Amino acid sequence: MRGYVFNRQRPVLNYIVDFMCRELLLIIEIDGRSHHFEEAVQRDEQRQKELEAVGFTFLRFNDQLIFQDVLNVGRVIENWILNYEEGEV
């Protein structure tokens, strides 16, 4: 997207993330049903804090949103990249 490479299922620290762009320090996570349980939410929050502490930014999307409105999800990601390129992130 916009010339940036996104890799799927990438190891970062001790975790595997859904999508990552190393150049942007951007992680995109797709949360399905299993992420709605309290224990999973707590694990996700801890993992996100650790990865943000080393400089990554997270964008999270519910899997239903992707199934229902993938074009808008793409716009959100592209807008984030545009803001990053303009120094607004």
Side-chain angles (χ1 to χ4, degrees), residues 12-13 17 27 47-56 58:
V12 183
L13 298 180
V17 298
I27 292 173
R47 178 174 78 142
Q48 184 168 337
K49 283 179 188 176
E50 289 180 30
L51 292 168
E52 287 174 337
V54 296
F56 285 95
F58 270 71

Side-chain angles (χ1 to χ4, degrees), residues 40-78:
V41 169
Q42 289 175 356
R43 277 195 317 266
D44 286 346
E45 287 175 356
Q46 180 61 36
R47 178 174 78 142
Q48 184 168 337
K49 283 179 188 176
E50 289 180 30
L51 292 168
E52 287 174 337
V54 296
F56 285 95
T57 297
F58 270 71
L59 294 179
R60 284 189 177 278
F61 300 96
N62 181 289
D63 63 350
Q64 287 300 315
L65 179 63
I66 290 171
F67 293 133
Q68 295 170 355
D69 196 5
V70 71
L71 292 176
N72 195 43
V73 170
R75 280 190 212 96
V76 169
I77 296 167
E78 189 167 8

